Amino acid sequence: MDILLVASAFNSLSQRVYAELSDQGHRVDVVLASHGADAVRGAVREVGPELIVAPMLKSALPEDVWREHTCLIVHPGPPGDRGPSALDWAIAEEASEWGVTVLQAEAAMDAGDIWADGTFPVPPAGKSDLYRNEVSDAATAAVLLAVRRFAEGSFKPRPQSDPGIRVTWRDYFRQEQRRIDWEHDDTATVLRKLRGADSQPGVLDELCGREVFLHGGHPEDRLRGRPGELLATRSGAVCRATRDGAVWIPELRPRKTSGDPAPFRRPAASVLAGFPAPPGSGPGMPGSNGRPYWLPEIAVPLELPPERTTWTDIRYRQRGDVGFLSFSFPGGAMSTVHCRRLLAAYRYALTRRTSVLVLGGARDFFSNGIHLNVIEAADDPAEESWSNLVAMNDLVEAVLRTTDRVVVAAVGGNAAAGGVMLALAADEVWCRTGSVLNPHYRNLGLYGSEYWTYSLPRRVGAEAAERLTSEALPLSAASAERTGLVDRLVPVPAAEFATEVERLAAEVAADPDLARRITTKATARHADELQRPLAEYRRTELARMRAVFFDPQAPYHALRSAFVRKLPHGSARPLVREGAR
């Protein structure tokens, strides 16, 4: 069936719906609603779809489109729920279970007949994490069901006037409702407010006399201070006291009206480093070492005691012969500092006596490669791009050169660009079935690095490697397995991924054939090195990337800036994906 996806952004859910509909044999095209109503109309004329699906839509479809075509809208709320902030309300009201609804477009928002719906549990996670995982699982299943019902032709959608449906309108969730009262809100309340806005829109607040948006929140079990007081930094995050405890905030975003030249999300400590120090902070220079000099940096060990409740983005633990090096960076972005710290942790893990090392395993993003926000905010973005890429390559090379144990990449969430190549450096890639992979760099005008010219062809062959990197299309986990990018699918909910990975890793460690396998791996790596050294792959890739980074006219710079600042770029032509038809 010819299906046109209309989306305000080709985000995680839109990509997953695209990939899974394509897996089922449908011919799928995409148009961005942000290009305007005429762009949507033009795409409809060009494609001539049998069905239109809108997985993520912030603006109404043109009336002539939904009157002339069946248009299915995904609403992240249960049947009868209406309004633009469904998930925000679910988190604010501490719902234990929530739903998604696929309904037919009509004049009134979210009021159309219901083609499918589903429910999901609401874990204590950030809104964006929830959206990419539980919401995405339920929404994709509901879309596939609705499309099947439409294709069969006999299903009658359920009107919302049915007695069993309770219609509830929920207004837009405003900053006034998100605002934190540091003097009176307890830690649980603060965390709920932070998690309800972790990616967008953030919680508007004031720090050091500057208006900023707070992004993300994690509990702290030991540090204490006056309510609202900044207490410490750790690995780019800042700790702030609550009425009865403290929370870690990983990222800040200066308000656009603040005059900050980089009004987008980035590590909280680096934003604070540019602010004036509070009175009485003592001597020091703003921006010192990329962090506020007037706050202590309080580190924690890689192997945290199980009783600790605190934030850290990299952890190591060991269960018998299996080591687990987990990491979780906001948005999956890895800056130069992130890469260097993760490499140091990886080297630490290699000193431990294990036969299996699991890399990753968290429930959300695995990695999306270099940190575009940090690069864009740098004094010299070209130099920071280069430093970040070199650090990423160092990390990937360390994984490729590990020959004394089996390394497993546990991909619990989405991965893209260099993040996919980090996973491919491992001996096995295990992927949760809800993940989406983007093994390409083209959307940023980049050739790519992280040893992709070695890792990708050896898994999928030269022809498939060329196709994957040039078509620039998202892959479902199932399609990635068929292609050879993924070795094992892990068909569990996001909340169960880490536990299931631990069970599977124990099985690998107990395999009586493991020692022979490790020996065979070392022999193969030696043979590959003799045929063409890794250093040659690195040198060739980095030469092409350096030429782009240090060319002020290269499209990469404009594409990066537009991506980070969420600005339109390129042609206003509808985004009809090449190769999608």
Side-chain angles (χ1 to χ4, degrees), residues 17 122 131 152 157 169 186 356 403 437 459 549 551 565:
V17 169
V122 181
Y131 182 82
E152 291 169 351
W169 174 262
D186 60 15
V356 177
T403 56
L437 305 184
R459 275 185 164 269
F549 289 159
D551 176 5
R565 298 171 188 273

Side-chain angles (χ1 to χ4, degrees), residues 429-451:
V429 179
W430 299 351
C431 190
R432 194 179 85 82
T433 47
S435 300
V436 175
L437 305 184
N438 279 279
H440 57 82
Y441 306 78
R442 199 182 73 168
N443 291 346
L444 280 170
L446 296 174
Y447 174 73
S449 189
E450 295 97 1
Y451 299 89

Side-chain angles (χ1 to χ4, degrees), residues 96-403:
S96 60
E97 185 178 86
W98 199 240
V100 294
T101 310
V102 178
L103 45 87
Q104 191 158 335
E106 64 166 52
M109 177 183 283
D110 306 326
D113 293 351
I114 297 170
W115 282 82
D117 64 274
T119 61
F120 56 87
V122 181
K127 181 175 66 173
S128 58
D129 182 342
L130 177 67
Y131 182 82
R132 285 186 292 266
N133 289 287
E134 283 81 3
V135 175
S136 180
D137 288 351
T140 302
V143 167
L144 296 179
L145 175 59
V147 169
R148 185 165 67 249
R149 285 171 169 172
F150 176 82
E152 291 169 351
S154 59
F155 179 77
K156 300 297 182 185
R158 183 184 180 192
Q160 293 196 42
S161 58
D162 275 10
I165 297 178
R166 178 184 175 186
V167 174
T168 304
W169 174 262
R170 302 174 191 274
D171 290 332
Y172 179 75
F173 204 86
R174 303 186 181 281
Q175 280 295 338
E176 291 77 10
Q177 296 157 291
R178 303 182 192 278
R179 191 173 297 278
I180 296 171
D181 182 342
W182 293 97
E183 288 287 340
H184 300 99
D185 287 347
D186 60 15
T187 300
T189 301
V190 171
L191 287 172
R192 186 167 64 251
K193 291 178 177 180
L194 290 171
R195 287 169 173 168
D198 65 338
S199 176
Q200 287 295 330
V203 175
L204 184 61
D205 207 331
E206 184 177 298
L207 291 175
C208 303
R210 305 283 183 89
E211 283 193 313
V212 293
F213 292 91
L214 316 178
H215 293 271
H218 305 270
E220 161 61 29
D221 57 0
R222 294 184 180 177
L223 297 178
R224 296 292 183 268
R226 298 185 310 276
E229 180 186 7
L230 293 172
L231 304 175
T233 62
R234 176 182 299 156
S235 305
V238 296
C239 187
R240 195 172 187 186
T242 65
R243 176 173 63 79
D244 60 346
V247 295
W248 287 96
I249 302 168
E251 293 185 311
L252 300 176
R253 173 169 59 93
R255 196 171 190 179
K256 286 185 178 180
T257 55
S258 67
D260 193 299
F264 42 80
R265 282 192 298 141
R266 55 195 199 272
S270 68
V271 175
L272 277 183
F275 289 0
S281 297
M285 292 293 294
S288 175
N289 298 318
R291 55 174 301 276
Y293 72 89
W294 39 273
L295 288 176
E297 173 78 3
I298 299 181
V300 289
L302 276 174
E303 297 190 68
L304 271 174
E307 70 273 8
R308 287 298 310 271
T309 302
T310 190
W311 175 85
T312 178
D313 51 6
I314 304 174
R315 297 181 185 231
Y316 180 80
R317 61 188 177 87
Q318 193 167 328
R319 297 291 183 272
D321 290 333
V322 183
F324 297 89
L325 181 59
S326 61
F327 54 92
S328 180
F329 305 119
M334 297 172 62
S335 68
T336 304
V337 174
H338 288 139
C339 293
R340 289 172 179 168
R341 289 176 46 242
L342 186 54
L343 175 58
Y346 187 81
R347 287 171 173 161
Y348 170 83
L350 293 182
T351 67
R352 309 291 290 173
R353 293 175 59 87
T354 60
S355 56
V356 177
L357 176 57
V358 177
L359 185 63
R363 54 165 277 141
D364 200 11
F365 281 121
F366 181 77
S367 170
N368 283 327
I370 59 176
H371 203 310
L372 301 177
N373 290 41
V374 170
I375 290 169
E376 182 69 11
D379 293 335
D380 187 341
E383 189 62 47
E384 181 57 33
S385 296
W386 177 250
S387 297
N388 199 165
L389 188 65
V390 169
M392 191 82 189
N393 272 267
D394 291 344
L395 173 62
V396 174
E397 181 177 356
V399 179
L400 286 170
R401 292 193 182 279
T402 302
T403 56

Side-chain angles (χ1 to χ4, degrees), residues 27-47:
R27 294 174 295 277
V28 188
D29 290 276
V30 183
V31 61
L32 293 183
S34 55
H35 285 180
D38 286 342
V40 174
R41 293 186 182 101
V44 171
R45 288 193 300 270
E46 181 179 348
V47 174

